[in-house]
Amino acid sequence: MGNCCGPGMSPEEREKEQRSRDIQKQAERDYYKGQEEIKLLLLGAGESGKSTVFKQMKILYGAGFSADDKANFRTKIHQNVLTGIQALCTAVMDLGLTGETDDDALELMDEILNISEGQVDLSEDKDIGNKLSSLWRDPAIQAAWDRRSEFHIIESHAAYFEKMDVICAPNYEPSKDDILASRVRTTGVIQEEYMIWGSKFVIIDVGGQTSERRKWVHHFDACQAILFVAALSEYDQYLFEDNTKNRMVDALELFEKICNEKLFKETHMILFLNKRDLFEQKIQHTAISSVPFFEDYAAEGRPENDKDAGMEYFKDKFMEQNKTKAPFRKDVFAHVTCATDTNNVEHIFNACKAIILKDTLSASGFMA
Ligand SMILES: Nc1nc2c(ncn2[C@@H]2O[C@H](COP(=O)(O)OP(=O)(O)OP(=O)(O)O)[C@@H](O)[C@H]2O)c(=O)[nH]1
Ligand SMILES: [Mg+2]
């Protein structure tokens, strides 16, 4: 847009121009308010962080978590802790790590493996916190943790394992961070409505595991933007539902399908390269080029263990999946995110405001 209030204008012209701009701004504000609804669809593979972004929307734009929500999350967190430690105990056996510890610890692992999912009120047994903490510090369990890319475990749950005494205490009430770290696989579709930037938003969360993906198509129409979430940190991990499929390769293939999908020709594509915090930790000890599929990382002389070079490499890989061509060339707006960090999500979401609203504005004639 040119400078409309240029030096050659008379004071009257300048005033008229200013008035016209004010009217346009007000109309834009009214337009946002009158907007029927803006649909945002969260897509991405299982465990990429979609529901975590969805929870952040509730924190940022909704009522937050009620006492009932917290009680539910408490049960989920207990399940997460138990499942996580049980996965580590099983890995000690499967990976032949029993020699790293003593008989007492092995007996304790047996005891923990025998707790069934129904018995998950960990706060009922006052010793359980100590038992789980001592197992977490056990050398065989730590050796299994170091090899966690070889079995399924939620990496961010190390934060729970570090504070087992708090989580297993009788009056434990999960904090906001504990709730954001919890993991419940989404099945089906969940949606919530919020007023954001003066407009009604409908945010839709779906399950990302392969069996869930066929349900997505029912929500493909009439969404203004897609937030595609991909976990940067999962370059050395395999799918929960198929332990032969590398998670990053799966995410790239999925993004290729979504980005080039004809139904999304007019839909804005926002890419969240998520789990930045876990990626930054992992890249210090797991070279990207050491993972089959990503050997080309080293080919162009990129520095190993360099988080910025690593992020750029994966970002380029996602961008290469965009095969759309002019005049329908799609812009993909990529952001590196940490979905468990409320400030980060708020900041990035605000940065997406213009993109999300641009379509509706241009349809109304406010933007070229
Ligand atoms: N450390 C860390 N953990 C994250 C981040 N984003 C998500 N997580 C955790 O990763 C796990 C999986 O996240 P979800 O939001 O449940 O993943 P999802 O994409 O909804 O998975 P499905 O429902 O199976 O499709 C949860 O335990 C989250 O707390 C992140 O940026 N950093
Ligand atoms: Mg989910």
Side-chain angles (χ1 to χ4, degrees), residues 102-343:
D102 56 29
D103 287 349
D104 287 349
L106 291 174
E107 218 171 280
L108 192 50
M109 286 184 207
D110 248 3
E111 183 186 330
I112 297 300
L113 280 170
N114 279 322
I115 303 179
S116 65
E117 244 208 40
Q119 280 171 268
V120 283
D121 195 350
L122 298 183
S123 40
E124 272 180 6
D125 174 349
K126 55 182 176 7
D127 281 342
I128 195 89
N130 292 334
K131 288 177 182 169
L132 293 171
S133 290
S134 83
L135 271 186
W136 171 238
R137 288 192 304 270
D138 181 84
I141 293 280
Q142 282 299 313
W145 176 252
D146 289 343
R147 291 176 60 180
R148 61 191 174 279
S149 65
E150 296 175 45
F151 57 98
H152 181 260
I153 190 158
I154 304 282
E155 292 198 295
S156 51
H157 289 174
Y160 291 156
F161 306 151
E162 291 294 343
K163 53 177 216 177
M164 227 82 87
D165 50 335
V166 175
I167 289 176
C168 300
N171 299 320
Y172 169 59
E173 182 180 288
S175 64
K176 182 190 79 158
D177 287 344
D178 292 349
I179 291 174
L180 288 166
S182 66
R183 161 71 181 151
V184 182
R185 183 170 81 93
T186 307
T187 53
V189 178
I190 305 166
Q191 73 174 51
E192 290 281 357
E193 293 174 9
Y194 301 110
M195 286 305 287
I196 308 176
W197 309 319
S199 293
K200 182 173 147 194
F201 271 67
V202 180
I203 318 256
I204 304 170
D205 183 24
V206 296
Q209 290 191 356
T210 35
S211 59
E212 291 292 317
R213 295 177 192 171
R214 66 195 138 75
K215 301 175 193 164
W216 294 3
V217 71
H218 306 297
H219 303 275
F220 278 4
D221 60 332
C223 64
Q224 272 76 8
I226 288 175
L227 292 191
F228 190 97
V229 187
L232 271 178
S233 61
E234 294 183 351
Y235 61 89
D236 68 336
Q237 288 173 259
Y238 291 80
L239 291 186
F240 173 73
E241 61 272 34
D242 174 3
N243 62 10
T244 62
K245 184 87 187 180
N246 175 284
R247 284 181 182 237
M248 184 63 90
V249 172
D250 175 64
L252 285 162
E253 289 173 2
L254 190 57
F255 186 67
E256 199 265 340
K257 283 198 195 113
I258 297 297
C259 192
N260 302 299
E261 165 62 54
K262 282 202 195 83
L263 286 168
F264 295 145
K265 180 164 95 204
E266 313 266 321
T267 312
H268 294 299
M269 192 66 62
I270 298 165
L271 172 64
F272 277 13
L273 295 168
N274 191 37
K275 303 200 180 183
R276 183 197 62 209
D277 55 330
L278 295 174
F279 176 77
E280 287 177 359
Q281 289 165 21
K282 184 170 285 180
I283 198 163
Q284 289 170 25
H285 56 79
T286 307
I288 294 175
S289 63
S290 71
V291 179
F293 318 105
F294 304 121
E295 290 99 343
D296 65 325
Y297 179 84
E300 288 170 33
R302 293 183 186 87
E304 292 290 1
N305 315 109
D306 181 310
K307 64 180 168 60
D308 296 323
M311 284 172 193
E312 211 48 43
Y313 167 79
F314 284 119
K315 182 178 156 196
D316 289 349
K317 287 241 176 259
F318 276 94
M319 292 307 188
E320 283 163 19
Q321 308 309 314
N322 182 4
K323 313 271 166 51
T324 56
K325 295 201 169 60
F328 296 112
R329 175 77 188 165
K330 185 181 281 301
D331 284 328
V332 175
F333 303 91
H335 296 273
V336 175
T337 57
C338 177
T340 45
D341 176 343
T342 309
N343 290 336

Side-chain angles (χ1 to χ4, degrees), residues 3-187:
N3 184 0
C4 54
C5 302
M9 281 183 167
S10 68
E12 291 76 27
E13 281 172 329
R14 219 172 278 159
E15 198 190 326
K16 200 172 148 205
E17 187 60 43
Q18 187 57 49
R19 220 178 310 130
S20 147
R21 287 169 130 215
D22 290 345
I23 291 168
Q24 175 147 337
K25 279 210 180 106
Q26 186 56 48
E28 276 183 34
R29 279 195 289 270
D30 291 348
Y31 183 80
Y32 286 145
K33 280 190 196 128
Q35 199 51 46
E36 278 202 343
E37 58 180 36
I38 296 176
K39 263 195 196 170
L40 282 193
L41 184 55
L42 285 155
L43 296 182
E47 281 175 45
S48 56
K50 299 178 296 300
S51 298
T52 311
V53 173
F54 194 71
K55 282 180 202 158
Q56 294 282 18
M57 297 291 135
K58 187 166 183 165
I59 294 170
L60 288 165
Y61 308 109
F65 301 111
S66 66
D68 278 355
D69 291 336
K70 286 182 185 168
N72 282 333
F73 279 117
R74 179 181 192 266
T75 309
K76 303 291 180 210
I77 291 166
H78 282 171
Q79 274 167 1
N80 287 170
V81 166
L82 185 63
T83 310
I85 295 293
Q86 286 180 331
L88 286 163
C89 295
T90 305
V92 167
M93 319 295 165
D94 292 351
L95 300 174
L97 300 168
T98 49
E100 307 262 335
T101 191
D102 56 29
D103 287 349
D104 287 349
L106 291 174
E107 218 171 280
L108 192 50
M109 286 184 207
D110 248 3
E111 183 186 330
I112 297 300
L113 280 170
N114 279 322
I115 303 179
S116 65
E117 244 208 40
Q119 280 171 268
V120 283
D121 195 350
L122 298 183
S123 40
E124 272 180 6
D125 174 349
K126 55 182 176 7
D127 281 342
I128 195 89
N130 292 334
K131 288 177 182 169
L132 293 171
S133 290
S134 83
L135 271 186
W136 171 238
R137 288 192 304 270
D138 181 84
I141 293 280
Q142 282 299 313
W145 176 252
D146 289 343
R147 291 176 60 180
R148 61 191 174 279
S149 65
E150 296 175 45
F151 57 98
H152 181 260
I153 190 158
I154 304 282
E155 292 198 295
S156 51
H157 289 174
Y160 291 156
F161 306 151
E162 291 294 343
K163 53 177 216 177
M164 227 82 87
D165 50 335
V166 175
I167 289 176
C168 300
N171 299 320
Y172 169 59
E173 182 180 288
S175 64
K176 182 190 79 158
D177 287 344
D178 292 349
I179 291 174
L180 288 166
S182 66
R183 161 71 181 151
V184 182
R185 183 170 81 93
T186 307
T187 53

